[in-house]
Amino acid sequence: ASQRASRRLARRHMKASAGSPQRKKNGKPLLVAPPVFVRILPANVGGHFDDGTAHVAKRLKSWVGTCGGGDVDGGGNASTNAPCVILSDSHGDTKYSFPKDVFGPSTRQAAIFNDVASPLLLKFLDEHDPQSVILFAYGQTGTGKTHTLMGPEASWDTVHHPDWGLFPRVVADVLRVMDSRQGNYSYAAHLSATEFYFCQGFDLLDAKAQVLVTDGTIVGAKQIRVTNASDVLHVLAEVRATRTTAHTKMNPASAASVAGSSSNKTNNTNAAHGGSSRSHCALSLRLRVVDKRTLFVKTVTFTCMDLAGAERQASNGNDHVSAMEAVMQFWRNPSNVAPCAQATIINYELACLRSAIVQAAENHRVGRKVTAPTQLGTAAVNYMHGLFDGRCHVANVVTLSQSKKCGWETWFACTYAEDVSLLRMPAGARSAMAVSLKKLTVELKGKAEASQSVYEKTPEKNHPSSKYFARRKIEARHFANEAEIVEELARGLETTGET
């Protein structure tokens, strides 16, 4: 109850300061809001089929038009001419004006890329001031988050497929632009894919080796260099083969997928649809750009975060499972965890992430530093919470179901997205720092050697320091990879006579 009260108080403060970017009178930094977009799932898709028998009190009424006309939206804000989502119940209509844009069921992937990702790419690819980005998708399970960010699985086998999602399009666009700048710049683009499952982080490109999250940074993830658009297909294929999925009532796998998988996990790389994602997935493009005239390097990251879908256990025909029982299922046999146990942890993490958003907004409002929790936090929440400190641009796509039986989930998704839209972050900390390539090479080589030395001296078992063994192993791997990438970039310049 106290948490709900503090959240209501924080939201009142956020609404009072909501609106256009502001510079406060006391000299605090400029605070800006993240754009939030809505995508509507086509009717009668997968588990969101309406058979006319299941109805709930709330339902999605309309997503066409604006919130004008003197009404008040769902957050209690004065009406605007912003795009509008309208929910209806026995008390009447509730209007939500948080979306920057609303994409109807027939909107093509290219149109969403142009409206959502292209403005972010302008910041990411700014020649003089590149800035990092995180774009995350939230919504009920089966409403099209993975479809939006990655594209349908049928599109993952063809370069520049018309149904490609936002992430492969981003990568292709970055490579195209950077290739056109090679007169003055040298660059290296690397992809990584991290699965956040049962409160931990795992590398989808390295046999699910465990990774760490430190201060909003993923440590230890394998980075694969990409030089053309076809390289993206290999990464997507690996993600499809290793990410944890399941056949569920609200997001069923295709017949081909079910035939080639267990009840909990789909590993068939030729599957038409793997079913429900049972983990969060961060796909990251890390771009290192060297100015050949100064030999200084800047590093920026464009991340697409595909959050696992929120769900009610009853909607999937599941029994309630406590968090403790869910964790025990995982520890007893990680490869055989029931979907109901997975859903318990997913919903817990999504709730924690919402609290992190509200907390970050309040901290920025009063000028306090935003920091991820050091205890009782999960890898996914700590990762995203760390990014809300203003170091990067943040954008959100929320996906909504038209199904009448999903009215409560749709309402919850709207209130969740409303909290995201009320987030205000400082705009002055996004610029990438320019570092001497020579200095960075020496620094990372030193860190790699030091971390490897510490790791080799740490006993794996039966010693007080053994509790640090796993962490030190990951850190040694991380700095070795970072040093190798930067050294390769420096060697490329030497080969062309640029240094």
Side-chain angles (χ1 to χ4, degrees):
S2 61
Q3 290 180 342
R4 289 195 298 270
S6 61
R7 177 175 291 174
R8 286 195 298 268
L9 179 61
R11 291 183 66 184
R12 282 201 296 270
H13 285 310
M14 287 188 288
K15 290 167 188 173
S17 60
S20 59
Q22 306 169 36
R23 183 176 298 278
K24 305 211 174 194
K25 293 180 180 179
N26 58 6
K28 290 181 181 178
L30 178 72
L31 299 180
V32 296
V36 180
F37 303 87
V38 169
R39 187 174 196 182
I40 306 297
L41 179 72
N44 299 320
V45 172
H48 296 262
F49 182 84
D50 268 325
D51 58 7
T53 61
H55 296 278
V56 297
K58 289 185 179 292
R59 66 181 180 90
L60 179 63
K61 179 178 180 181
S62 173
W63 57 86
V64 180
T66 64
C67 283
D71 295 311
V72 175
D73 69 15
N77 302 314
S79 64
T80 68
N81 288 323
C84 193
V85 172
I86 302 176
L87 270 63
S88 178
D89 58 23
S90 59
H91 300 288
D93 294 346
T94 304
K95 298 183 178 182
Y96 295 91
S97 63
F98 63 82
K100 183 174 182 180
D101 206 348
V102 178
F103 305 109
S106 62
T107 306
R108 301 302 300 269
Q109 299 280 70
I112 294 177
F113 172 79
N114 291 335
D115 285 356
V116 176
S118 289
L120 298 171
L121 274 174
L122 291 177
K123 302 292 187 181
F124 183 72
L125 290 170
D126 189 291
E127 186 171 352
H128 305 291
D129 184 22
Q131 300 175 358
S132 294
V133 173
I134 181 169
L135 168 62
F136 69 99
Y138 172 86
Q140 182 187 1
T141 182
T143 52
K145 299 178 296 299
T146 304
H147 181 102
T148 299
L149 294 185
M150 302 184 200
E153 293 178 45
S155 73
W156 297 1
D157 299 321
T158 306
V159 175
H160 298 301
H161 193 286
D163 288 333
W164 253 12
L166 297 182
F167 185 74
R169 290 174 186 269
V170 163
V171 176
D173 231 36
V174 168
L175 296 177
R176 176 185 61 80
V177 171
M178 293 310 302
D179 282 343
S180 70
R181 295 179 180 175
Q182 292 200 77
N184 293 326
Y185 301 94
S186 178
Y187 79 95
H190 291 79
L191 301 186
S192 62
T194 302
E195 175 180 70
F196 295 102
Y197 182 62
F198 266 80
C199 308
Q200 302 171 83
F202 302 95
D203 191 346
L204 292 176
L205 305 182
D206 190 15
K208 290 202 172 181
Q210 191 167 2
V211 300
L212 301 175
V213 173
T214 303
D215 189 30
T217 300
I218 297 172
V219 177
K222 182 177 181 180
Q223 299 180 59
I224 296 179
R225 186 163 187 176
V226 289
T227 58
N228 56 68
S230 63
D231 290 338
V232 185
L233 301 181
H234 303 300
V235 173
L236 292 177
E238 190 69 18
V239 170
R240 174 167 55 182
T242 54
R243 188 179 182 186
T244 306
T245 60
H247 176 85
T248 67
K249 182 179 178 181
M250 294 305 299
N251 194 359
S254 67
S257 292
V258 173
S261 69
S262 67
S263 61
N264 276 339
K265 187 172 175 54
T266 298
N267 286 326
N268 181 1
T269 56
N270 295 316
H273 178 56
S276 174
S277 299
R278 311 309 289 172
S279 63
H280 316 296
C281 178
L283 294 176
S284 297
L285 166 62
R286 195 163 179 82
L287 181 65
R288 298 170 176 87
V289 182
V290 180
D291 189 326
K292 295 179 179 180
R293 296 158 293 187
T294 64
L295 295 183
F296 273 67
V297 59
K298 292 183 178 181
T299 304
V300 286
T301 304
F302 196 118
T303 299
C304 286
M305 184 74 165
D306 180 19
L307 295 174
E311 60 184 66
R312 287 191 297 164
Q313 300 282 30
S315 298
N316 265 326
N318 294 330
D319 294 328
H320 173 74
V321 173
S322 69
M324 180 60 70
E325 173 58 24
V327 171
M328 292 306 299
Q329 279 196 32
F330 175 79
W331 286 114
R332 283 194 291 263
N333 188 353
S335 63
N336 188 29
V337 180
C340 54
Q342 295 168 332
T344 295
I345 300 301
I346 289 170
N347 289 338
Y348 168 74
E349 290 194 304
L350 292 174
C352 290
L353 178 59
R354 184 174 189 173
S355 296
I357 292 169
V358 173
Q359 179 187 354
E362 176 64 8
N363 284 1
H364 285 311
R365 187 187 70 82
V366 299
R368 285 197 303 261
K369 184 178 180 181
V370 174
T371 56
T374 57
Q375 296 179 339
L376 300 180
T378 72
V381 175
N382 289 356
Y383 172 60
M384 293 195 67
H385 197 161
L387 298 179
F388 294 147
D389 64 0
R391 75 181 68 179
C392 63
H393 292 271
V394 176
N396 176 216
V397 177
V398 59
T399 53
L400 303 180
S401 171
Q402 300 183 51
S403 176
K404 294 178 181 178
K405 66 183 179 183
C406 298
W408 281 113
E409 289 90 339
T410 298
W411 166 78
F412 190 80
C414 284
T415 61
Y416 200 108
E418 187 178 53
D419 276 348
V420 177
S421 72
L422 294 172
L423 179 60
R424 297 292 181 269
M425 296 171 293
R430 296 170 173 170
S431 298
M433 181 181 298
V435 182
S436 165
L437 179 60
K438 182 178 180 179
K439 179 180 178 181
L440 182 62
T441 303
V442 172
E443 178 184 330
L444 287 175
K445 183 178 180 180
K447 287 184 177 181
E449 293 172 350
S451 60
Q452 181 66 25
S453 176
V454 171
Y455 162 58
E456 291 176 351
K457 294 176 181 178
T458 305
E460 184 174 0
K461 297 179 180 179
N462 304 322
H463 190 273
S465 64
S466 297
K467 60 184 177 183
Y468 302 113
F469 180 84
R471 170 178 287 275
R472 290 172 179 174
K473 180 179 179 180
I474 294 171
E475 290 173 343
R477 182 175 74 234
H478 172 77
F479 287 115
N481 291 339
E482 290 286 312
E484 182 180 352
I485 289 170
V486 174
E487 286 176 1
E488 181 184 0
L489 190 56
R491 286 195 300 270
L493 289 171
E494 291 173 357
T495 302
T496 58
E498 302 291 346
T499 58

